[in-house]
Amino acid sequence: MCSSLLPVLVGISMVTQVSEQTPGWFRFPMSPIESLAGTPVDASFLNSGPAASRISVQTDHFVDEQGNRVRLIGTNVCFSNAFPEKPDATRIADRMAQLGFNVVRFHHMDARDIWLPGQEGLDPEKLDRLHWFIAELKRNGIYTNLNLHVSRTYPGLQEMTSERAFRYGKIVDNFHDPYIDLQEQYARDLLTQVNPYTGLKPSEDPAVAFVELNNENTLLNLSQTALAVMPQPLRESLAAKWRTWLAGRYASLAELKQTWNGELIPLGEEMLVNRDFRKGTEGWGVQGLKANACNVSAAEDDDRPVLRVEMVQKGSVPWAYQVHQMDMKYQEGMVYTVRFRGRAVPARRVSVSLRFAEAPWTIVSRSANVDLTPEWQEFSFVTPVGGVRDDLKQRFSFNLGDAVGQVELADVSLRPGSVPFDPGKEIAAIADLPLPQDLWPARAWADFRRFLIDTERDYVSRMKSYLVDTLGVKSLVIDTQASYGGFSGLHREATLSDYIDMHAYWQHPRFPGKPWDSGNWTIENTSMAAAPPGRSTFERLSAYRLAGRPFSVSEYNHPAPNDHAAELFPMLAAYASHQDWDALYQFCYGNSVHTFKEPKIAGYFTLGSHSGQLVFAPIASIIFRQGLIPPAAATSLLRIPEAALDNNLAEGYLSSGKLASEGILTPESQIESRFSVEFVKDGDAPSLETVPSERPAAVSWQRSENEPCRFLANADAARIAVGEIGGQALDLGDLQVTVRPSEGAWAAFALAAADGQPLAESKHALLALVTRVENTNMGWSEDRRTVGRKWGSAPLVAQGVAADLVLPGDDKPRVIALDSQGRPIGDVPVTGQPGRWTVGLGPQYNTLWYAVER
């Protein structure tokens, strides 16, 4: 039975620690630099020559100078890995080409490694290494994607603020002119120095195909909580632009006041029972209430009643402890005013929301995050409500998180409506107005969000003009990832960027304490093949694919140590082909010295020595770049009127989540058909148009609760099966595969014709079959959701999995087991007759991949 909550493999024994001595396991280490040249898995033939043909956009795809479509697949290199020693750079570039890669994204270069001390300029030695690496990639037919601002901390920023929202200058470097000046200077220094190994500036080199302005960053992420703690001079920098924007919109303060208060709904009656806790805990519920874990009581502080929640045991999930009041009835389009007092020991961040009290648990309000300290503070905010469904129960919630400690709440109030905007006598003109405050009307906040959109557009236009017009950059340029800002973010990219880019991770590690604490993190450890409809990365990605523009996914992974991490490449290559996307980048390659010497899984994201993912890399490249899986014939088009973007600003930015909750955006439209978004001038409500096709799609996804979860692809030259595929014969066209452990066993299988011919005729195909891989003696927790710092040691080991294949074709195939570097180690017996050749794969061959030749 399909279950997204299965933490372990079904039908295959789970052991806490494994090694090559564990029955059924074998060594299978792979090096990030060792050559695959001349082996059956070498996919460098996909790169026919140097990356010297300028990539441009033609309709909705990338093309080369001859007008031929270019599909790109590759990886990221980050931090110091962007500047390897020259001999290593050569070997890495060679190996990447052998994996079939033709693009590399240079990421996090600006964090620290590229700088001279004090950020006085670029380090000449590091720049020389970067130039060499780019030249070696170019020689191998691999294009470069250069990121400008990723994780640089601007001089003086740390002295201003430690607020995480502004870390690396996020948000603020979209409006603060001194930081924009620094971005321009960095772009000039990086892009206009001649690469001595290509003889070209990066700005003019066809091999530098893409430039990204600002990774995962948008001014539209500025929350009311972050706005309240924004320090000077950043605050005044934003306020000055806000006042100038308002002055261009309103002739006077009186006109502004009339507009903001024009649609005001006066405060209504109190909606909460026992809002002041004078009747103890009556009417209030606590999620996570359990002896020896969480206690709740009514107490007094200065003779005033308070609700006290004591959490004595760390919660198992980030939302473990909640305080809520049920049986709310919210009205679509209404605004609500929330007030309360609170404190916490130790300090913690708490979120307050109006939401559903049952699946899908959607928040229908603005979710306010507040920082409680040991001192009492008063909080208030106005929030619109959208996406209400009367058929679902509703509640008012405080999410206290999962940390041990004590939280006290008092004087909690929830009322429909809001108070009027009254600037006070000290504000005589628009030029005197401050940045918005919590109790300002929804119309004021709508104006502020429109101001943020316009200000961000000014930033992007300035930076792109500087690159293209001043520096002469010939690369395709984007601002950032399209979902940053919801559909307003996609609209920004649609009108200002050359293509659309997105990021997604299946079950990215969570850090319940300090961010990126290597000793305190968890994963859910389930397969995406078992994700319920609407809950996979694919739905999140495809919701922001724009009609008429190339679509790129420049960061993607199913991070280690997930037991199902091997599904990354086969699922991504199949779905991206099905959707007719244009560029795929795994995050990230990694090439630290210790992985050269001791190949093992080196962290959450590192591909270079993750055998379970690497064996599928050349297969994914062959499938995606050669278009072996055809696009879906059925199409779905989400039309979003530009007016709908503005109409939603009182409550926030229109998002895919909102449209999904309203039933406009459906998982079926995103999975079963080729999906895209179009912005239109007419109308004010989004709509979805689906055009079905009688031609069966090559990709299918079985996620019914009563059946095994399986992601399948069946095309002439490629077959894929991922998920609970054990115990049953799966018919994939003229090929049959039976994974032999008991029913429901999880595995990932892919077979692709390297020569692009139908499998029955192909002279050379690659096959991979994987279940679990991990380091020797990896130290799993009892619930198998973390290894903490106990990542184990080399060598990497793999769990064997047996399968019976029935292969098509008149000529008898030769099936060759390959070692971890792709070299033949022996033939696998093939029996049968023309049209039905039977092959038995199994742990006895000590391999995860095979060549199939005729």
Side-chain angles (χ1 to χ4, degrees):
M1 178 183 291
C2 178
S3 172
S4 63
L5 300 178
L6 285 175
V8 298
L9 303 180
V10 180
I12 298 180
S13 172
M14 298 294 292
V15 214
T16 302
Q17 291 187 335
V18 293
S19 69
E20 57 187 311
Q21 280 75 46
T22 304
W25 290 73
F26 54 88
R27 294 169 59 106
F28 206 76
M30 298 179 74
S31 163
I33 61 172
E34 189 168 336
S35 177
L36 302 173
T39 69
V41 301
D42 182 359
S44 60
F45 66 89
L46 295 170
N47 298 349
S48 58
S53 182
R54 173 72 59 192
I55 291 178
S56 61
V57 172
Q58 187 177 95
T59 62
D60 52 354
H61 297 302
F62 296 126
V63 297
D64 62 18
E65 291 174 359
Q66 288 71 47
N68 301 312
R69 182 173 177 185
V70 177
R71 294 180 178 91
L72 299 145
I73 187 169
T75 187
N76 286 250
V77 291
C78 305
F79 300 108
S80 61
N81 295 332
F83 318 103
E85 298 283 350
K86 290 180 179 178
D88 292 335
T90 297
R91 297 174 71 185
I92 293 165
D94 289 348
R95 183 171 172 94
M96 285 181 176
Q98 292 153 11
L99 293 172
F101 292 169
N102 62 340
V103 69
V104 168
R105 180 171 178 252
F106 284 81
H107 191 62
H108 281 299
M109 291 193 305
D110 62 332
R112 52 185 177 271
D113 298 283
I114 202 169
W115 298 104
L116 292 170
Q119 296 187 12
E120 291 298 321
L122 304 187
D123 184 330
E125 180 188 358
K126 296 297 176 58
L127 193 61
D128 183 66
R129 289 189 191 180
L130 175 65
H131 284 159
W132 174 264
F133 198 2
I134 290 173
E136 288 298 281
L137 292 170
K138 180 177 182 176
R139 174 180 61 82
N140 277 280
I142 300 174
Y143 287 91
T144 287
N145 179 331
L146 289 178
N147 294 182
L148 298 182
H149 182 248
V150 181
S151 51
R152 176 188 189 182
T153 298
Y154 299 105
L157 179 64
Q158 285 182 314
E159 289 72 31
M160 274 187 230
T161 178
S162 60
E163 183 68 23
R164 183 164 177 79
F166 307 133
R167 189 183 183 196
Y168 306 137
K170 299 289 187 183
I171 296 174
V172 296
D173 69 352
N174 274 220
F175 69 82
H176 189 51
D177 289 322
Y179 291 167
I180 301 174
D181 293 341
L182 289 173
Q183 292 176 66
E184 290 180 343
Q185 179 182 340
Y186 177 67
R188 182 176 65 249
D189 293 346
L190 181 67
L191 299 174
T192 62
Q193 296 192 46
V194 172
N195 181 334
Y197 308 107
T198 64
L200 298 169
K201 300 175 184 177
S203 61
E204 61 189 13
D205 190 346
V208 180
F210 311 102
V211 173
E212 179 181 311
L213 299 180
N214 212 322
N215 172 72
E216 293 186 357
N217 191 9
T218 175
L219 184 50
L220 311 191
N221 274 353
L222 180 60
S223 67
Q224 291 179 225
T225 302
L227 180 62
V229 297
M230 184 182 290
Q232 299 292 10
L234 304 175
R235 188 175 188 83
E236 180 52 35
S237 178
L238 184 64
K241 294 189 175 188
W242 163 238
R243 290 189 286 263
T244 299
W245 186 90
L246 287 173
R249 195 174 185 89
Y250 298 103
S252 66
L253 182 62
E255 180 187 335
L256 177 148
K257 182 177 177 181
Q258 182 180 10
T259 301
W260 285 1
N261 289 333
E263 300 175 0
L264 192 71
I265 301 171
L267 280 175
E269 297 295 321
E270 179 62 50
M271 297 177 63
L272 300 177
V273 299
N274 189 26
R275 58 165 294 272
D276 55 7
F277 307 111
R278 292 189 183 279
K279 296 182 181 180
T281 61
E282 181 180 318
W284 293 91
V286 178
Q287 182 171 314
L289 190 61
K290 183 180 178 182
N292 302 319
C294 176
N295 304 306
V296 62
S297 61
E300 288 194 356
D301 183 82
D302 291 335
D303 298 326
R304 299 177 69 178
V306 302
L307 182 74
R308 179 175 297 156
V309 183
E310 295 181 282
M311 292 145 285
V312 296
Q313 181 177 308
K314 182 173 174 55
S316 59
V317 292
W319 55 89
Y321 300 113
Q322 300 181 43
V323 174
H324 50 249
Q325 191 158 133
M326 303 292 289
D327 300 324
M328 296 291 104
K329 292 294 182 184
Y330 302 125
Q331 181 180 336
E332 180 73 18
M334 175 63 74
V335 296
Y336 294 84
T337 298
V338 178
R339 300 176 188 259
F340 67 96
R341 295 191 306 127
R343 70 175 180 177
V345 180
R348 73 171 65 205
R349 177 159 288 182
V350 167
S351 68
V352 191
S353 62
L354 286 58
R355 66 186 305 160
F356 297 145
E358 56 183 302
W361 310 102
T362 307
I363 295 173
V364 297
S365 68
R366 175 176 66 82
S367 182
N369 297 312
V370 299
D371 292 315
L372 301 185
T373 68
E375 302 299 322
W376 282 105
Q377 298 178 82
E378 293 187 6
F379 300 94
S380 58
F381 63 94
V382 176
T383 177
V385 157
V388 173
R389 287 175 53 183
D390 293 335
D391 60 320
L392 297 178
K393 296 178 182 178
Q394 300 161 15
R395 74 185 189 193
F396 172 73
S397 289
F398 290 90
N399 181 357
L400 309 184
D402 62 351
V404 172
Q406 178 179 290
V407 171
E408 291 183 340
L409 302 171
D411 300 323
V412 185
S413 173
L414 173 65
R415 299 170 68 181
S418 60
V419 297
F421 169 69
D422 183 0
K425 294 181 180 179
E426 68 278 7
I427 296 178
I430 290 176
D432 302 322
L433 279 173
L435 291 168
Q437 299 174 5
D438 283 342
L439 288 179
W440 283 17
R443 187 68 185 82
W445 281 100
D447 267 359
F448 186 65
R449 293 187 180 101
R450 181 71 252 178
F451 155 73
L452 295 180
I453 290 171
D454 291 347
T455 302
E456 180 170 75
R457 291 181 64 85
D458 289 345
Y459 157 77
V460 178
S461 297
R462 171 182 165 176
M463 283 297 301
K464 189 173 181 184
S465 175
Y466 182 76
L467 262 62
V468 175
D469 300 331
T470 303
L471 301 185
V473 170
K474 293 180 173 58
S475 312
L476 298 173
V477 179
I478 64 162
D479 170 37
T480 194
Q481 285 59 57
S483 59
Y484 278 69
F487 285 121
S488 291
L490 178 60
H491 189 260
R492 172 196 65 232
E493 300 302 304
T495 51
L496 296 173
S497 291
D498 293 326
Y499 61 96
I500 304 302
D501 188 59
M502 284 286 289
H503 292 169
Y505 293 81
W506 173 247
Q507 295 186 352
H508 192 289
R510 294 194 183 111
F511 301 89
K514 185 176 67 175
W516 296 102
D517 183 343
S518 61
N520 184 15
W521 57 272
T522 63
I523 57 171
E524 290 304 304
N525 202 2
T526 66
S527 167
M528 197 175 81
R535 300 288 296 276
S536 80
T537 60
F538 291 162
E539 287 105 333
R540 294 204 300 271
L541 288 169
S542 63
Y544 291 90
R545 192 268 185 91
L546 183 74
R549 200 69 59 85
F551 187 75
S552 160
V553 181
S554 66
E555 287 186 25
Y556 190 83
N557 208 333
H558 291 216
N562 194 312
D563 288 317
H564 319 87
E567 68 190 9
L568 156 67
F569 276 118
M571 290 188 73
L572 180 62
Y575 184 74
S577 299
H578 175 69
Q579 290 294 328
D580 205 19
W581 292 351
D582 298 280
L584 309 174
Y585 303 69
Q586 180 273 347
F587 186 92
C588 60
Y589 192 72
N591 58 344
S592 59
V593 172
H594 85 89
T595 60
F596 292 173
K597 298 178 180 178
E598 295 186 319
K600 64 178 183 178
I601 298 174
Y604 313 111
F605 311 112
T606 301
L607 173 68
S609 52
H610 193 308
S611 304
Q613 294 180 336
L614 278 169
V615 294
F616 287 109
I619 296 174
S621 297
I622 287 166
I623 290 173
F624 184 68
R625 292 185 59 187
Q626 296 189 117
L628 301 190
I629 295 177
T635 60
S636 289
L637 181 65
L638 176 64
R639 289 190 173 91
I640 301 179
E642 292 181 345
L645 300 177
D646 281 340
N647 293 342
N648 204 72
L649 291 178
E651 59 184 88
Y653 304 101
L654 186 65
S655 68
S656 59
K658 176 178 172 60
L659 296 188
S661 69
E662 295 174 352
I664 298 171
L665 182 62
T666 66
E668 294 77 18
S669 65
Q670 297 171 269
I671 299 299
E672 296 173 8
S673 59
R674 191 157 27 109
F675 184 90
S676 58
V677 178
E678 179 183 49
F679 293 105
V680 296
K681 298 293 184 183
D682 300 328
D684 56 9
S687 62
L688 182 70
E689 177 186 336
T690 296
V691 179
S693 172
E694 294 182 359
R695 190 184 83 193
V699 171
S700 61
W701 199 344
Q702 182 173 294
R703 293 189 281 182
S704 167
E705 290 188 0
N706 299 318
E707 299 176 293
C709 285
R710 292 168 179 166
F711 180 93
L712 307 174
N714 179 9
D716 286 347
R719 315 293 162 86
I720 290 171
V722 176
E724 299 164 355
I725 62 175
Q728 290 184 341
L730 296 179
D731 289 318
L732 298 174
D734 53 9
L735 177 145
Q736 187 179 85
V737 57
T738 306
V739 176
R740 277 188 278 168
S742 61
E743 185 173 354
W746 186 94
F749 164 86
L751 175 61
D755 54 13
Q757 298 301 308
L759 287 178
E761 304 168 15
S762 173
K763 301 301 182 185
H764 177 52
L766 295 181
L767 183 158
L769 176 63
V770 183
T771 177
R772 286 170 54 204
V773 299
E774 56 186 77
N775 294 332
T776 296
N777 295 328
M778 186 172 272
W780 283 100
S781 61
E782 186 175 348
D783 62 0
R784 206 167 180 85
R785 293 180 60 217
T786 185
V787 299
R789 295 187 178 91
K790 301 175 182 178
W791 283 80
S793 60
L796 181 143
V797 292
Q799 186 173 24
V801 55
D804 294 321
L805 298 183
V806 178
L807 297 172
D810 293 335
D811 297 333
K812 184 177 182 179
R814 178 189 177 197
V815 178
I816 309 164
L818 309 172
D819 71 8
S820 60
Q821 296 308 317
R823 297 170 298 223
I825 53 176
D827 283 15
V828 179
V830 178
T831 59
Q833 57 191 3
R836 288 186 60 85
W837 303 106
T838 301
V839 185
L841 310 178
Q844 67 271 29
Y845 299 109
N846 290 342
T847 189
L848 300 177
W849 53 2
Y850 303 80
V852 181
E853 298 182 349
R854 286 188 170 89

